[in-house]
PDB file of all heavy atoms in Angstrom:
ATOM      1  N   LEU R 741       0.816  -1.215   0.000  1.00 98.00           N
ATOM      2  CA  LEU R 741       0.000   0.000   0.000  1.00 98.00           C
ATOM      3  C   LEU R 741       0.850   1.265   0.000  1.00 98.00           C
ATOM      4  O   LEU R 741       0.455   2.287  -0.571  1.00 98.00           O
ATOM      5  CB  LEU R 741      -0.935   0.003   1.210  1.00 98.00           C
ATOM      6  CG  LEU R 741      -1.977  -1.112   1.264  1.00 98.00           C
ATOM      7  CD1 LEU R 741      -2.830  -0.955   2.514  1.00 98.00           C
ATOM      8  CD2 LEU R 741      -2.855  -1.108   0.020  1.00 98.00           C
ATOM      9  N   ARG R 742       2.013   1.214   0.645  1.00 98.00           N
ATOM     10  CA  ARG R 742       2.886   2.391   0.679  1.00 98.00           C
ATOM     11  C   ARG R 742       3.327   2.777  -0.734  1.00 98.00           C
ATOM     12  O   ARG R 742       3.348   3.967  -1.091  1.00 98.00           O
ATOM     13  CB  ARG R 742       4.103   2.110   1.557  1.00 98.00           C
ATOM     14  CG  ARG R 742       5.095   3.269   1.638  1.00 98.00           C
ATOM     15  CD  ARG R 742       6.306   2.908   2.483  1.00 98.00           C
ATOM     16  NE  ARG R 742       7.026   1.757   1.938  1.00 98.00           N
ATOM     17  CZ  ARG R 742       7.919   1.831   0.947  1.00 98.00           C
ATOM     18  NH1 ARG R 742       8.187   2.997   0.387  1.00 98.00           N
ATOM     19  NH2 ARG R 742       8.554   0.745   0.522  1.00 98.00           N
ATOM     20  N   LYS R 743       3.664   1.791  -1.540  1.00 98.00           N
ATOM     21  CA  LYS R 743       4.102   2.078  -2.906  1.00 98.00           C
ATOM     22  C   LYS R 743       2.934   2.559  -3.773  1.00 98.00           C
ATOM     23  O   LYS R 743       3.096   3.456  -4.614  1.00 98.00           O
ATOM     24  CB  LYS R 743       4.743   0.832  -3.511  1.00 98.00           C
ATOM     25  CG  LYS R 743       6.064   0.455  -2.834  1.00 98.00           C
ATOM     26  CD  LYS R 743       6.706  -0.771  -3.462  1.00 98.00           C
ATOM     27  CE  LYS R 743       8.050  -1.075  -2.803  1.00 98.00           C
ATOM     28  NZ  LYS R 743       8.723  -2.252  -3.397  1.00 98.00           N
ATOM     29  N   ILE R 744       1.757   1.984  -3.557  1.00 98.00           N
ATOM     30  CA  ILE R 744       0.579   2.433  -4.301  1.00 98.00           C
ATOM     31  C   ILE R 744       0.256   3.884  -3.946  1.00 98.00           C
ATOM     32  O   ILE R 744      -0.037   4.707  -4.821  1.00 98.00           O
ATOM     33  CB  ILE R 744      -0.620   1.519  -4.012  1.00 98.00           C
ATOM     34  CG1 ILE R 744      -0.365   0.112  -4.560  1.00 98.00           C
ATOM     35  CG2 ILE R 744      -1.907   2.098  -4.613  1.00 98.00           C
ATOM     36  CD1 ILE R 744      -1.382  -0.923  -4.120  1.00 98.00           C
ATOM     37  N   ALA R 745       0.333   4.203  -2.646  1.00 98.00           N
ATOM     38  CA  ALA R 745       0.069   5.576  -2.204  1.00 98.00           C
ATOM     39  C   ALA R 745       1.060   6.550  -2.831  1.00 98.00           C
ATOM     40  O   ALA R 745       0.688   7.646  -3.275  1.00 98.00           O
ATOM     41  CB  ALA R 745       0.134   5.657  -0.678  1.00 98.00           C
ATOM     42  N   HIS R 746       2.319   6.165  -2.852  1.00 98.00           N
ATOM     43  CA  HIS R 746       3.346   7.028  -3.468  1.00 98.00           C
ATOM     44  C   HIS R 746       3.028   7.278  -4.940  1.00 98.00           C
ATOM     45  O   HIS R 746       3.077   8.430  -5.410  1.00 98.00           O
ATOM     46  CB  HIS R 746       4.721   6.385  -3.336  1.00 98.00           C
ATOM     47  CG  HIS R 746       5.781   7.070  -4.152  1.00 98.00           C
ATOM     48  ND1 HIS R 746       6.465   8.169  -3.706  1.00 98.00           N
ATOM     49  CD2 HIS R 746       6.249   6.803  -5.418  1.00 98.00           C
ATOM     50  CE1 HIS R 746       7.314   8.576  -4.644  1.00 98.00           C
ATOM     51  NE2 HIS R 746       7.213   7.758  -5.684  1.00 98.00           N
ATOM     52  N   ASN R 747       2.716   6.220  -5.665  1.00 99.00           N
ATOM     53  CA  ASN R 747       2.392   6.374  -7.090  1.00 99.00           C
ATOM     54  C   ASN R 747       1.179   7.268  -7.286  1.00 99.00           C
ATOM     55  O   ASN R 747       1.165   8.145  -8.167  1.00 99.00           O
ATOM     56  CB  ASN R 747       2.134   5.006  -7.716  1.00 99.00           C
ATOM     57  CG  ASN R 747       3.403   4.187  -7.907  1.00 99.00           C
ATOM     58  OD1 ASN R 747       4.509   4.645  -7.589  1.00 99.00           O
ATOM     59  ND2 ASN R 747       3.264   2.983  -8.425  1.00 99.00           N
ATOM     60  N   ALA R 748       0.132   7.028  -6.488  1.00 99.00           N
ATOM     61  CA  ALA R 748      -1.097   7.814  -6.641  1.00 99.00           C
ATOM     62  C   ALA R 748      -0.844   9.290  -6.353  1.00 99.00           C
ATOM     63  O   ALA R 748      -1.255  10.170  -7.132  1.00 99.00           O
ATOM     64  CB  ALA R 748      -2.179   7.258  -5.714  1.00 99.00           C
ATOM     65  N   ARG R 749      -0.158   9.586  -5.247  1.00 98.00           N
ATOM     66  CA  ARG R 749       0.116  10.992  -4.900  1.00 98.00           C
ATOM     67  C   ARG R 749       0.982  11.665  -5.955  1.00 98.00           C
ATOM     68  O   ARG R 749       0.749  12.828  -6.323  1.00 98.00           O
ATOM     69  CB  ARG R 749       0.812  11.072  -3.537  1.00 98.00           C
ATOM     70  CG  ARG R 749      -0.091  10.830  -2.343  1.00 98.00           C
ATOM     71  CD  ARG R 749       0.590  11.262  -1.048  1.00 98.00           C
ATOM     72  NE  ARG R 749       1.850  10.545  -0.836  1.00 98.00           N
ATOM     73  CZ  ARG R 749       1.961   9.422  -0.142  1.00 98.00           C
ATOM     74  NH1 ARG R 749       0.890   8.874   0.391  1.00 98.00           N
ATOM     75  NH2 ARG R 749       3.143   8.850   0.015  1.00 98.00           N
ATOM     76  N   THR R 750       1.969  10.943  -6.458  1.00 98.00           N
ATOM     77  CA  THR R 750       2.860  11.508  -7.469  1.00 98.00           C
ATOM     78  C   THR R 750       2.090  11.862  -8.740  1.00 98.00           C
ATOM     79  O   THR R 750       2.286  12.940  -9.332  1.00 98.00           O
ATOM     80  CB  THR R 750       3.992  10.522  -7.797  1.00 98.00           C
ATOM     81  OG1 THR R 750       4.741  10.234  -6.608  1.00 98.00           O
ATOM     82  CG2 THR R 750       4.934  11.095  -8.845  1.00 98.00           C
ATOM     83  N   LEU R 751       1.193  10.985  -9.171  1.00 99.00           N
ATOM     84  CA  LEU R 751       0.424  11.238 -10.389  1.00 99.00           C
ATOM     85  C   LEU R 751      -0.635  12.319 -10.179  1.00 99.00           C
ATOM     86  O   LEU R 751      -0.882  13.132 -11.079  1.00 99.00           O
ATOM     87  CB  LEU R 751      -0.226   9.939 -10.876  1.00 99.00           C
ATOM     88  CG  LEU R 751       0.776   8.903 -11.411  1.00 99.00           C
ATOM     89  CD1 LEU R 751       0.110   7.548 -11.619  1.00 99.00           C
ATOM     90  CD2 LEU R 751       1.420   9.382 -12.709  1.00 99.00           C
ATOM     91  N   VAL R 752      -1.257  12.335  -9.011  1.00 98.00           N
ATOM     92  CA  VAL R 752      -2.207  13.408  -8.702  1.00 98.00           C
ATOM     93  C   VAL R 752      -1.503  14.762  -8.771  1.00 98.00           C
ATOM     94  O   VAL R 752      -2.035  15.728  -9.343  1.00 98.00           O
ATOM     95  CB  VAL R 752      -2.837  13.182  -7.308  1.00 98.00           C
ATOM     96  CG1 VAL R 752      -3.554  14.455  -6.827  1.00 98.00           C
ATOM     97  CG2 VAL R 752      -3.817  12.021  -7.352  1.00 98.00           C
ATOM     98  N   ASP R 753      -0.305  14.847  -8.227  1.00 98.00           N
ATOM     99  CA  ASP R 753       0.446  16.111  -8.254  1.00 98.00           C
ATOM    100  C   ASP R 753       0.922  16.439  -9.668  1.00 98.00           C
ATOM    101  O   ASP R 753       0.862  17.605 -10.092  1.00 98.00           O
ATOM    102  CB  ASP R 753       1.650  16.021  -7.315  1.00 98.00           C
ATOM    103  CG  ASP R 753       1.253  15.971  -5.849  1.00 98.00           C
ATOM    104  OD1 ASP R 753       0.095  16.312  -5.537  1.00 98.00           O
ATOM    105  OD2 ASP R 753       2.090  15.572  -5.022  1.00 98.00           O
ATOM    106  N   LEU R 754       1.401  15.424 -10.391  1.00 98.00           N
ATOM    107  CA  LEU R 754       1.906  15.654 -11.741  1.00 98.00           C
ATOM    108  C   LEU R 754       0.818  16.216 -12.648  1.00 98.00           C
ATOM    109  O   LEU R 754       0.995  17.281 -13.265  1.00 98.00           O
ATOM    110  CB  LEU R 754       2.448  14.342 -12.326  1.00 98.00           C
ATOM    111  CG  LEU R 754       2.853  14.387 -13.801  1.00 98.00           C
ATOM    112  CD1 LEU R 754       4.071  15.281 -13.989  1.00 98.00           C
ATOM    113  CD2 LEU R 754       3.132  12.983 -14.334  1.00 98.00           C
ATOM    114  N   TYR R 755      -0.297  15.514 -12.742  1.00 98.00           N
ATOM    115  CA  TYR R 755      -1.365  15.970 -13.645  1.00 98.00           C
ATOM    116  C   TYR R 755      -2.068  17.203 -13.089  1.00 98.00           C
ATOM    117  O   TYR R 755      -2.490  18.089 -13.842  1.00 98.00           O
ATOM    118  CB  TYR R 755      -2.353  14.834 -13.889  1.00 98.00           C
ATOM    119  CG  TYR R 755      -1.784  13.719 -14.747  1.00 98.00           C
ATOM    120  CD1 TYR R 755      -1.510  12.473 -14.208  1.00 98.00           C
ATOM    121  CD2 TYR R 755      -1.513  13.931 -16.095  1.00 98.00           C
ATOM    122  CE1 TYR R 755      -0.973  11.455 -14.988  1.00 98.00           C
ATOM    123  CE2 TYR R 755      -0.983  12.928 -16.883  1.00 98.00           C
ATOM    124  CZ  TYR R 755      -0.715  11.685 -16.324  1.00 98.00           C
ATOM    125  OH  TYR R 755      -0.181  10.692 -17.106  1.00 98.00           O
ATOM    126  N   GLY R 756      -2.179  17.264 -11.757  1.00 98.00           N
ATOM    127  CA  GLY R 756      -2.819  18.421 -11.152  1.00 98.00           C
ATOM    128  C   GLY R 756      -2.072  19.713 -11.376  1.00 98.00           C
ATOM    129  O   GLY R 756      -2.659  20.797 -11.357  1.00 98.00           O
ATOM    130  N   SER R 757      -0.764  19.606 -11.619  1.00 98.00           N
ATOM    131  CA  SER R 757       0.033  20.812 -11.878  1.00 98.00           C
ATOM    132  C   SER R 757      -0.416  21.536 -13.133  1.00 98.00           C
ATOM    133  O   SER R 757      -0.112  22.704 -13.329  1.00 98.00           O
ATOM    134  CB  SER R 757       1.517  20.443 -12.000  1.00 98.00           C
ATOM    135  OG  SER R 757       1.748  19.657 -13.178  1.00 98.00           O
ATOM    136  N   ASN R 758      -1.148  20.837 -13.989  1.00 98.00           N
ATOM    137  CA  ASN R 758      -1.655  21.470 -15.215  1.00 98.00           C
ATOM    138  C   ASN R 758      -3.172  21.365 -15.298  1.00 98.00           C
ATOM    139  O   ASN R 758      -3.745  21.375 -16.379  1.00 98.00           O
ATOM    140  CB  ASN R 758      -1.012  20.823 -16.448  1.00 98.00           C
ATOM    141  CG  ASN R 758      -0.885  21.789 -17.610  1.00 98.00           C
ATOM    142  OD1 ASN R 758      -1.353  22.928 -17.546  1.00 98.00           O
ATOM    143  ND2 ASN R 758      -0.260  21.349 -18.684  1.00 98.00           N
ATOM    144  N   GLY R 759      -3.797  21.221 -14.132  1.00 98.00           N
ATOM    145  CA  GLY R 759      -5.256  21.312 -14.080  1.00 98.00           C
ATOM    146  C   GLY R 759      -6.015  20.058 -14.446  1.00 98.00           C
ATOM    147  O   GLY R 759      -7.218  20.133 -14.723  1.00 98.00           O
ATOM    148  N   ILE R 760      -5.358  18.909 -14.456  1.00 98.00           N
ATOM    149  CA  ILE R 760      -6.040  17.659 -14.801  1.00 98.00           C
ATOM    150  C   ILE R 760      -6.260  16.839 -13.532  1.00 98.00           C
ATOM    151  O   ILE R 760      -5.330  16.578 -12.779  1.00 98.00           O
ATOM    152  CB  ILE R 760      -5.237  16.854 -15.829  1.00 98.00           C
ATOM    153  CG1 ILE R 760      -5.180  17.606 -17.161  1.00 98.00           C
ATOM    154  CG2 ILE R 760      -5.848  15.468 -16.037  1.00 98.00           C
ATOM    155  CD1 ILE R 760      -4.400  16.881 -18.245  1.00 98.00           C
ATOM    156  N   LYS R 761      -7.507  16.435 -13.317  1.00 98.00           N
ATOM    157  CA  LYS R 761      -7.881  15.618 -12.176  1.00 98.00           C
ATOM    158  C   LYS R 761      -7.691  14.143 -12.523  1.00 98.00           C
ATOM    159  O   LYS R 761      -7.928  13.722 -13.652  1.00 98.00           O
ATOM    160  CB  LYS R 761      -9.351  15.889 -11.812  1.00 98.00           C
ATOM    161  CG  LYS R 761      -9.923  15.017 -10.696  1.00 98.00           C
ATOM    162  CD  LYS R 761     -11.336  15.438 -10.373  1.00 98.00           C
ATOM    163  CE  LYS R 761     -12.274  15.165 -11.526  1.00 98.00           C
ATOM    164  NZ  LYS R 761     -12.507  13.714 -11.752  1.00 98.00           N
ATOM    165  N   VAL R 762      -7.273  13.362 -11.537  1.00 98.00           N
ATOM    166  CA  VAL R 762      -7.100  11.923 -11.716  1.00 98.00           C
ATOM    167  C   VAL R 762      -8.318  11.188 -11.175  1.00 98.00           C
ATOM    168  O   VAL R 762      -8.693  11.364 -10.002  1.00 98.00           O
ATOM    169  CB  VAL R 762      -5.828  11.425 -10.994  1.00 98.00           C
ATOM    170  CG1 VAL R 762      -5.785   9.890 -10.964  1.00 98.00           C
ATOM    171  CG2 VAL R 762      -4.584  11.976 -11.677  1.00 98.00           C
ATOM    172  N   SER R 763      -8.941  10.382 -12.019  1.00 98.00           N
ATOM    173  CA  SER R 763      -9.966   9.441 -11.575  1.00 98.00           C
ATOM    174  C   SER R 763      -9.299   8.076 -11.446  1.00 98.00           C
ATOM    175  O   SER R 763      -8.674   7.592 -12.397  1.00 98.00           O
ATOM    176  CB  SER R 763     -11.120   9.381 -12.577  1.00 98.00           C
ATOM    177  OG  SER R 763     -11.804  10.621 -12.653  1.00 98.00           O
ATOM    178  N   GLY R 764      -9.411   7.454 -10.291  1.00 98.00           N
ATOM    179  CA  GLY R 764      -8.758   6.170 -10.067  1.00 98.00           C
ATOM    180  C   GLY R 764      -9.602   5.019 -10.580  1.00 98.00           C
ATOM    181  O   GLY R 764     -10.780   4.894 -10.236  1.00 98.00           O
ATOM    182  N   VAL R 765      -8.995   4.189 -11.415  1.00 98.00           N
ATOM    183  CA  VAL R 765      -9.704   3.041 -12.003  1.00 98.00           C
ATOM    184  C   VAL R 765      -9.465   1.816 -11.118  1.00 98.00           C
ATOM    185  O   VAL R 765      -8.322   1.385 -10.930  1.00 98.00           O
ATOM    186  CB  VAL R 765      -9.232   2.778 -13.445  1.00 98.00           C
ATOM    187  CG1 VAL R 765      -9.913   1.543 -14.010  1.00 98.00           C
ATOM    188  CG2 VAL R 765      -9.536   3.999 -14.313  1.00 98.00           C
ATOM    189  N   THR R 766     -10.543   1.255 -10.595  1.00 98.00           N
ATOM    190  CA  THR R 766     -10.441   0.193  -9.589  1.00 98.00           C
ATOM    191  C   THR R 766     -10.775  -1.192 -10.125  1.00 98.00           C
ATOM    192  O   THR R 766     -10.813  -2.150  -9.355  1.00 98.00           O
ATOM    193  CB  THR R 766     -11.381   0.508  -8.409  1.00 98.00           C
ATOM    194  OG1 THR R 766     -12.733   0.645  -8.891  1.00 98.00           O
ATOM    195  CG2 THR R 766     -10.953   1.798  -7.722  1.00 98.00           C
ATOM    196  N   LYS R 767     -10.995  -1.339 -11.430  1.00 98.00           N
ATOM    197  CA  LYS R 767     -11.426  -2.645 -11.944  1.00 98.00           C
ATOM    198  C   LYS R 767     -10.348  -3.710 -11.769  1.00 98.00           C
ATOM    199  O   LYS R 767     -10.659  -4.862 -11.463  1.00 98.00           O
ATOM    200  CB  LYS R 767     -11.822  -2.540 -13.415  1.00 98.00           C
ATOM    201  CG  LYS R 767     -10.670  -2.203 -14.365  1.00 98.00           C
ATOM    202  CD  LYS R 767     -11.126  -2.224 -15.811  1.00 98.00           C
ATOM    203  CE  LYS R 767      -9.952  -1.978 -16.744  1.00 98.00           C
ATOM    204  NZ  LYS R 767     -10.354  -2.027 -18.168  1.00 98.00           N
ATOM    205  N   ALA R 768      -9.075  -3.354 -11.938  1.00 98.00           N
ATOM    206  CA  ALA R 768      -8.012  -4.362 -11.853  1.00 98.00           C
ATOM    207  C   ALA R 768      -7.841  -4.883 -10.441  1.00 98.00           C
ATOM    208  O   ALA R 768      -7.329  -5.989 -10.248  1.00 98.00           O
ATOM    209  CB  ALA R 768      -6.686  -3.787 -12.354  1.00 98.00           C
ATOM    210  N   ILE R 769      -8.267  -4.113  -9.458  1.00 98.00           N
ATOM    211  CA  ILE R 769      -8.137  -4.543  -8.063  1.00 98.00           C
ATOM    212  C   ILE R 769      -9.468  -5.019  -7.503  1.00 98.00           C
ATOM    213  O   ILE R 769      -9.588  -5.294  -6.303  1.00 98.00           O
ATOM    214  CB  ILE R 769      -7.557  -3.417  -7.188  1.00 98.00           C
ATOM    215  CG1 ILE R 769      -8.431  -2.165  -7.272  1.00 98.00           C
ATOM    216  CG2 ILE R 769      -6.121  -3.102  -7.605  1.00 98.00           C
ATOM    217  CD1 ILE R 769      -8.121  -1.124  -6.230  1.00 98.00           C
ATOM    218  N   CYS R 770     -10.481  -5.101  -8.374  1.00 98.00           N
ATOM    219  CA  CYS R 770     -11.813  -5.603  -7.988  1.00 98.00           C
ATOM    220  C   CYS R 770     -12.398  -4.808  -6.817  1.00 98.00           C
ATOM    221  O   CYS R 770     -13.102  -5.366  -5.962  1.00 98.00           O
ATOM    222  CB  CYS R 770     -11.750  -7.089  -7.658  1.00 98.00           C
ATOM    223  SG  CYS R 770     -11.183  -8.114  -9.030  1.00 98.00           S
ATOM    224  N   GLY R 771     -12.094  -3.535  -6.749  1.00 98.00           N
ATOM    225  CA  GLY R 771     -12.628  -2.687  -5.691  1.00 98.00           C
ATOM    226  C   GLY R 771     -12.130  -3.038  -4.307  1.00 98.00           C
ATOM    227  O   GLY R 771     -12.806  -2.764  -3.310  1.00 98.00           O
ATOM    228  N   HIS R 772     -10.939  -3.612  -4.197  1.00 98.00           N
ATOM    229  CA  HIS R 772     -10.355  -4.027  -2.913  1.00 98.00           C
ATOM    230  C   HIS R 772     -10.354  -2.844  -1.934  1.00 98.00           C
ATOM    231  O   HIS R 772      -9.761  -1.801  -2.193  1.00 98.00           O
ATOM    232  CB  HIS R 772      -8.930  -4.517  -3.147  1.00 98.00           C
ATOM    233  CG  HIS R 772      -8.281  -5.146  -1.974  1.00 98.00           C
ATOM    234  ND1 HIS R 772      -7.857  -4.421  -0.879  1.00 98.00           N
ATOM    235  CD2 HIS R 772      -7.962  -6.446  -1.699  1.00 98.00           C
ATOM    236  CE1 HIS R 772      -7.294  -5.232  -0.002  1.00 98.00           C
ATOM    237  NE2 HIS R 772      -7.355  -6.471  -0.468  1.00 98.00           N
ATOM    238  N   SER R 773     -11.000  -3.020  -0.788  1.00 97.00           N
ATOM    239  CA  SER R 773     -11.283  -1.897   0.114  1.00 97.00           C
ATOM    240  C   SER R 773     -10.034  -1.174   0.597  1.00 97.00           C
ATOM    241  O   SER R 773      -9.991   0.061   0.624  1.00 97.00           O
ATOM    242  CB  SER R 773     -12.091  -2.386   1.316  1.00 97.00           C
ATOM    243  OG  SER R 773     -13.365  -2.826   0.905  1.00 97.00           O
ATOM    244  N   GLU R 774      -9.008  -1.916   1.007  1.00 98.00           N
ATOM    245  CA  GLU R 774      -7.808  -1.265   1.549  1.00 98.00           C
ATOM    246  C   GLU R 774      -7.050  -0.506   0.464  1.00 98.00           C
ATOM    247  O   GLU R 774      -6.489   0.568   0.723  1.00 98.00           O
ATOM    248  CB  GLU R 774      -6.905  -2.307   2.209  1.00 98.00           C
ATOM    249  CG  GLU R 774      -7.482  -2.865   3.505  1.00 98.00           C
ATOM    250  CD  GLU R 774      -6.608  -3.949   4.107  1.00 98.00           C
ATOM    251  OE1 GLU R 774      -5.710  -3.616   4.898  1.00 98.00           O
ATOM    252  OE2 GLU R 774      -6.820  -5.129   3.768  1.00 98.00           O
ATOM    253  N   ILE R 775      -7.020  -1.060  -0.746  1.00 98.00           N
ATOM    254  CA  ILE R 775      -6.350  -0.344  -1.836  1.00 98.00           C
ATOM    255  C   ILE R 775      -7.139   0.906  -2.197  1.00 98.00           C
ATOM    256  O   ILE R 775      -6.560   1.988  -2.411  1.00 98.00           O
ATOM    257  CB  ILE R 775      -6.186  -1.257  -3.064  1.00 98.00           C
ATOM    258  CG1 ILE R 775      -5.416  -2.531  -2.687  1.00 98.00           C
ATOM    259  CG2 ILE R 775      -5.472  -0.513  -4.183  1.00 98.00           C
ATOM    260  CD1 ILE R 775      -5.329  -3.547  -3.814  1.00 98.00           C
ATOM    261  N   VAL R 776      -8.455   0.773  -2.252  1.00 98.00           N
ATOM    262  CA  VAL R 776      -9.312   1.911  -2.588  1.00 98.00           C
ATOM    263  C   VAL R 776      -9.169   3.015  -1.550  1.00 98.00           C
ATOM    264  O   VAL R 776      -9.077   4.205  -1.889  1.00 98.00           O
ATOM    265  CB  VAL R 776     -10.778   1.444  -2.712  1.00 98.00           C
ATOM    266  CG1 VAL R 776     -11.714   2.643  -2.750  1.00 98.00           C
ATOM    267  CG2 VAL R 776     -10.963   0.586  -3.968  1.00 98.00           C
ATOM    268  N   ALA R 777      -9.137   2.639  -0.275  1.00 98.00           N
ATOM    269  CA  ALA R 777      -8.948   3.639   0.779  1.00 98.00           C
ATOM    270  C   ALA R 777      -7.614   4.360   0.614  1.00 98.00           C
ATOM    271  O   ALA R 777      -7.507   5.568   0.865  1.00 98.00           O
ATOM    272  CB  ALA R 777      -9.035   2.970   2.147  1.00 98.00           C
ATOM    273  N   THR R 778      -6.603   3.635   0.164  1.00 98.00           N
ATOM    274  CA  THR R 778      -5.293   4.234  -0.092  1.00 98.00           C
ATOM    275  C   THR R 778      -5.383   5.273  -1.205  1.00 98.00           C
ATOM    276  O   THR R 778      -4.772   6.354  -1.117  1.00 98.00           O
ATOM    277  CB  THR R 778      -4.271   3.145  -0.458  1.00 98.00           C
ATOM    278  OG1 THR R 778      -4.141   2.240   0.639  1.00 98.00           O
ATOM    279  CG2 THR R 778      -2.918   3.743  -0.782  1.00 98.00           C
ATOM    280  N   LEU R 779      -6.131   4.969  -2.250  1.00 98.00           N
ATOM    281  CA  LEU R 779      -6.311   5.930  -3.350  1.00 98.00           C
ATOM    282  C   LEU R 779      -6.981   7.205  -2.849  1.00 98.00           C
ATOM    283  O   LEU R 779      -6.553   8.320  -3.174  1.00 98.00           O
ATOM    284  CB  LEU R 779      -7.142   5.308  -4.472  1.00 98.00           C
ATOM    285  CG  LEU R 779      -6.588   4.067  -5.163  1.00 98.00           C
ATOM    286  CD1 LEU R 779      -7.516   3.636  -6.293  1.00 98.00           C
ATOM    287  CD2 LEU R 779      -5.184   4.298  -5.702  1.00 98.00           C
ATOM    288  N   ILE R 780      -8.031   7.037  -2.057  1.00 98.00           N
ATOM    289  CA  ILE R 780      -8.762   8.206  -1.557  1.00 98.00           C
ATOM    290  C   ILE R 780      -7.871   9.049  -0.647  1.00 98.00           C
ATOM    291  O   ILE R 780      -7.830  10.283  -0.738  1.00 98.00           O
ATOM    292  CB  ILE R 780     -10.030   7.748  -0.825  1.00 98.00           C
ATOM    293  CG1 ILE R 780     -11.014   7.123  -1.836  1.00 98.00           C
ATOM    294  CG2 ILE R 780     -10.690   8.916  -0.103  1.00 98.00           C
ATOM    295  CD1 ILE R 780     -12.208   6.476  -1.195  1.00 98.00           C
ATOM    296  N   ASN R 781      -7.118   8.392   0.213  1.00 98.00           N
ATOM    297  CA  ASN R 781      -6.214   9.112   1.116  1.00 98.00           C
ATOM    298  C   ASN R 781      -5.070   9.795   0.371  1.00 98.00           C
ATOM    299  O   ASN R 781      -4.401  10.673   0.924  1.00 98.00           O
ATOM    300  CB  ASN R 781      -5.651   8.163   2.168  1.00 98.00           C
ATOM    301  CG  ASN R 781      -6.706   7.685   3.142  1.00 98.00           C
ATOM    302  OD1 ASN R 781      -7.707   8.365   3.355  1.00 98.00           O
ATOM    303  ND2 ASN R 781      -6.499   6.522   3.734  1.00 98.00           N
ATOM    304  N   SER R 782      -4.855   9.369  -0.877  1.00 98.00           N
ATOM    305  CA  SER R 782      -3.789   9.960  -1.693  1.00 98.00           C
ATOM    306  C   SER R 782      -4.295  11.084  -2.582  1.00 98.00           C
ATOM    307  O   SER R 782      -3.562  11.582  -3.430  1.00 98.00           O
ATOM    308  CB  SER R 782      -3.132   8.873  -2.547  1.00 98.00           C
ATOM    309  OG  SER R 782      -2.596   7.845  -1.741  1.00 98.00           O
ATOM    310  N   GLY R 783      -5.549  11.484  -2.391  1.00 98.00           N
ATOM    311  CA  GLY R 783      -6.069  12.650  -3.104  1.00 98.00           C
ATOM    312  C   GLY R 783      -6.975  12.345  -4.278  1.00 98.00           C
ATOM    313  O   GLY R 783      -7.358  13.265  -5.021  1.00 98.00           O
ATOM    314  N   ILE R 784      -7.345  11.092  -4.472  1.00 98.00           N
ATOM    315  CA  ILE R 784      -8.239  10.721  -5.578  1.00 98.00           C
ATOM    316  C   ILE R 784      -9.665  10.685  -5.051  1.00 98.00           C
ATOM    317  O   ILE R 784      -9.970   9.951  -4.103  1.00 98.00           O
ATOM    318  CB  ILE R 784      -7.832   9.368  -6.179  1.00 98.00           C
ATOM    319  CG1 ILE R 784      -6.472   9.515  -6.880  1.00 98.00           C
ATOM    320  CG2 ILE R 784      -8.893   8.848  -7.144  1.00 98.00           C
ATOM    321  CD1 ILE R 784      -5.903   8.214  -7.398  1.00 98.00           C
ATOM    322  N   LYS R 785     -10.553  11.451  -5.674  1.00 98.00           N
ATOM    323  CA  LYS R 785     -11.919  11.577  -5.185  1.00 98.00           C
ATOM    324  C   LYS R 785     -12.941  10.840  -6.057  1.00 98.00           C
ATOM    325  O   LYS R 785     -14.041  10.544  -5.591  1.00 98.00           O
ATOM    326  CB  LYS R 785     -12.318  13.060  -5.103  1.00 98.00           C
ATOM    327  CG  LYS R 785     -11.362  13.905  -4.251  1.00 98.00           C
ATOM    328  CD  LYS R 785     -11.190  13.333  -2.854  1.00 98.00           C
ATOM    329  CE  LYS R 785     -10.225  14.159  -2.015  1.00 98.00           C
ATOM    330  NZ  LYS R 785      -9.927  13.526  -0.706  1.00 98.00           N
ATOM    331  N   THR R 786     -12.592  10.550  -7.304  1.00 98.00           N
ATOM    332  CA  THR R 786     -13.486   9.812  -8.190  1.00 98.00           C
ATOM    333  C   THR R 786     -12.912   8.430  -8.432  1.00 98.00           C
ATOM    334  O   THR R 786     -11.742   8.289  -8.793  1.00 98.00           O
ATOM    335  CB  THR R 786     -13.662  10.542  -9.535  1.00 98.00           C
ATOM    336  OG1 THR R 786     -14.309  11.793  -9.313  1.00 98.00           O
ATOM    337  CG2 THR R 786     -14.508   9.711 -10.494  1.00 98.00           C
ATOM    338  N   LEU R 787     -13.740   7.406  -8.237  1.00 98.00           N
ATOM    339  CA  LEU R 787     -13.349   6.024  -8.482  1.00 98.00           C
ATOM    340  C   LEU R 787     -14.162   5.487  -9.649  1.00 98.00           C
ATOM    341  O   LEU R 787     -15.395   5.516  -9.621  1.00 98.00           O
ATOM    342  CB  LEU R 787     -13.587   5.167  -7.233  1.00 98.00           C
ATOM    343  CG  LEU R 787     -12.850   5.592  -5.966  1.00 98.00           C
ATOM    344  CD1 LEU R 787     -13.246   4.704  -4.801  1.00 98.00           C
ATOM    345  CD2 LEU R 787     -11.335   5.547  -6.183  1.00 98.00           C
ATOM    346  N   GLY R 788     -13.457   4.992 -10.658  1.00 98.00           N
ATOM    347  CA  GLY R 788     -14.116   4.461 -11.840  1.00 98.00           C
ATOM    348  C   GLY R 788     -13.939   2.963 -11.935  1.00 98.00           C
ATOM    349  O   GLY R 788     -12.843   2.437 -11.717  1.00 98.00           O
TER     350      GLY R 788
END
């Protein structure tokens, strides 16, 4: 989860620097609750 959080925060900041919001796609993880919570805590507000 630590590595997933790092990746998510880095991408949120990267794309956000130019006004693009990141929607996190959860299909590959089958909506796994702990991973999803990590995405939300990393600044992702939309889950697809």
